[in-house]
Amino acid sequence: MASAPSLRPSFSSAAAAAAFVSVDRVRLYPNSGAVKVSPFRRLTSYSIACAAGAAINGGVVPKVNDCARINGSESAGLRVAFQGAPGAYSEFAAKTALPGCETLPCRAFADAISAVERGLADRAILPVESTMDGAGLRNYEFLLRHDLRVVQEISLFVNYCLLAMPGVSPAELRRVISHPLALAHCSRALAQLGLHLREPVEDTAGAVEMLRSNRLLDTAAIASPRAALLYGLDVLADGLQDDSWNVTRFLLLAAPTSLAAALRPKAAPLKTSTVVAHRGGSMAVLLKVLSAFSRRSINLTKLEVLNSASKADKSPVFILDVRRKGMLRAFPHVLYVDFEGSPENPKAKEAIDEISQTAEFVRILGCYTADANIYDLH
């Protein structure tokens, strides 16, 4: 089977790029054995990333292979634990954030965090929110229960591809396997392709690994284009996601004793992540957070309110109190707050002190270089 062609358009302006993004189609590769190249929906990730770059990065989209360093961090030799099999999106995010790092695959997110706590890894990387699910990933709760620090952020454009064994055509496929979120994100495109039998597995790269190791000729997997290269599979369709703008934000965590903070460039803009927890009504604390930062002209980049009553199991949120010998405390109301700057800034200190007078608990989750870029796998 011939290799899939690469679509890399150029744009004369941001408006032209944005107009191209609005095209609704899935791109089936002409040499994949499909009956016809059909305008189902969506475009390639490179096209979308170019349009995003026009608005966000002055038209320049950083690439994995072109980037020697991000945030000035010396990354060679660092061990980064991630959830999933080799080829997972989390692994690519880690290698983009820390080029030259060694990656450690883990079965679960808790295992990745444990690897850092036990000294088996220098960092753990967690996806924490996406444009398609908001903060539905709920991995912030892993962070709250452990004494780790956020030391870096990275946002990755997630492009879903339909992968199959070499030589298999779309007409031969009977089912598709992938992570439950990937299957949900691609439901409309899969229906248009006639793939109604869908089976969830632990992660996207794990689906590819299963497909390859068992030589499943009637099955496709949803994963990244890099996973296709890694496992030697054919890409039958590209841009399967129902929402063309599909970006996931990842946080890299390190032990409190890590020197990661010392590696930040001195002139780089900073961001601080905090958690504010309380009992009783949530509105008073929410208003206090807004007013404390607003009156000091400190910009918020994230504000999320989580009430245990809105959770499916109604369970409280548990937070490790690092000041009380590692005691876990339960709260019905939690606010996740990211603000521009360092907690050592006098105005930020004043804001945090003011909030602490109303809220029952405030914890700094980490201060790190703010990275507004959106990185692409191409």
Side-chain angles (χ1 to χ4, degrees):
M1 179 179 294
S3 60
S6 175
L7 177 64
R8 298 198 171 196
S10 59
F11 301 105
S12 58
S13 66
F20 188 69
V21 168
S22 68
V23 175
D24 190 28
R25 68 174 184 269
V26 158
R27 182 165 153 270
L28 284 179
Y29 290 121
N31 296 318
S32 65
V35 176
K36 61 180 180 178
V37 181
S38 168
F40 283 113
R41 59 165 302 282
R42 222 55 73 212
L43 52 151
T44 66
S45 65
Y46 185 85
S47 309
I48 300 170
C50 281
I56 299 173
N57 304 324
V60 178
V61 179
K63 308 294 194 305
V64 173
N65 295 331
D66 295 343
C67 185
R69 274 178 184 44
I70 293 179
N71 294 341
S73 299
E74 297 289 343
S75 55
L78 286 177
R79 300 160 298 172
V80 183
F82 69 96
Q83 185 275 328
Y89 287 99
S90 291
E91 183 182 35
F92 292 132
K95 288 182 176 292
T96 305
L98 298 169
C101 72
E102 301 173 11
T103 51
L104 175 65
C106 300
R107 180 162 186 171
F109 293 114
D111 297 329
I113 291 175
S114 177
V116 176
E117 293 176 326
R118 293 159 55 199
L120 301 177
D122 303 293
R123 306 280 190 278
I125 187 166
L126 297 181
V128 292
E129 56 192 288
S130 77
T131 53
M132 295 188 73
D133 291 293
L137 298 170
R138 289 274 62 87
N139 285 332
Y140 272 106
E141 294 187 27
F142 284 106
L143 174 58
L144 300 184
R145 298 179 186 182
H146 297 267
D147 188 15
L148 299 181
R149 302 290 187 272
V150 180
V151 295
Q152 194 173 345
E153 68 172 344
I154 182 168
S155 295
L156 185 71
F157 181 84
V158 175
N159 179 49
Y160 289 125
C161 296
L162 190 70
L163 312 182
M165 292 291 294
V168 172
S169 69
E172 299 174 85
L173 298 176
R174 297 293 177 267
R175 66 169 181 164
V176 59
I177 58 176
S178 194
H179 186 278
L181 282 180
L183 293 172
H185 290 172
C186 304
S187 59
R188 290 201 303 268
L190 292 175
Q192 290 175 318
L193 292 170
L195 292 171
H196 301 287
L197 181 57
R198 305 161 195 177
E199 297 183 12
V201 295
E202 288 186 346
D203 59 88
T204 55
V208 172
E209 196 173 52
M210 181 187 305
L211 183 69
R212 187 74 195 185
S213 60
N214 294 296
R215 298 190 58 81
L216 302 174
L217 301 181
D218 65 343
T219 302
I222 297 175
S224 71
R226 287 294 184 96
L229 293 174
L230 183 63
Y231 289 91
L233 298 177
D234 285 344
V235 178
L236 300 186
D238 177 67
L240 288 178
Q241 57 271 15
D242 294 333
D243 188 343
S244 60
W245 186 237
N246 185 21
V247 176
T248 296
R249 181 186 180 217
F250 296 82
L251 296 179
L252 284 97
L253 315 177
T257 55
S258 169
L259 296 177
L263 297 175
R264 294 196 302 256
K266 293 182 179 179
L270 298 179
K271 180 187 291 187
T272 299
S273 291
T274 64
V275 60
V276 179
H278 56 104
R279 296 181 173 87
S282 60
M283 186 57 68
V285 174
L286 174 60
L287 293 176
K288 175 60 70 176
V289 168
L290 292 173
S291 65
F293 286 107
S294 175
R295 284 189 291 104
R296 294 169 177 86
S297 300
I298 300 174
N299 292 327
L300 301 185
T301 61
K302 175 184 175 67
L303 177 60
E304 180 191 355
V305 180
L306 176 62
N307 294 315
S308 59
S310 64
K311 297 173 63 178
D313 58 3
K314 310 297 183 184
S315 62
V317 178
F318 289 92
I319 305 176
L320 184 71
D321 190 341
V322 295
R323 299 170 299 181
R324 296 190 180 182
K325 299 181 180 180
M327 181 179 70
L328 278 175
R329 302 176 63 185
F331 294 95
H333 309 293
V334 168
L335 279 72
Y336 298 110
V337 183
D338 290 357
F339 64 87
E340 293 179 354
S342 165
E344 300 304 316
N345 179 284
K347 289 187 176 181
K349 280 186 175 182
E350 290 177 6
I352 293 170
D353 289 343
E354 182 178 328
I355 294 166
S356 299
Q357 294 174 10
T358 303
E360 187 170 336
F361 179 81
V362 178
R363 177 178 152 193
I364 304 296
L365 300 177
C367 178
Y368 47 94
T369 301
D371 190 351
N373 294 311
I374 296 174
Y375 297 88
D376 188 43
L377 288 181
H378 286 275

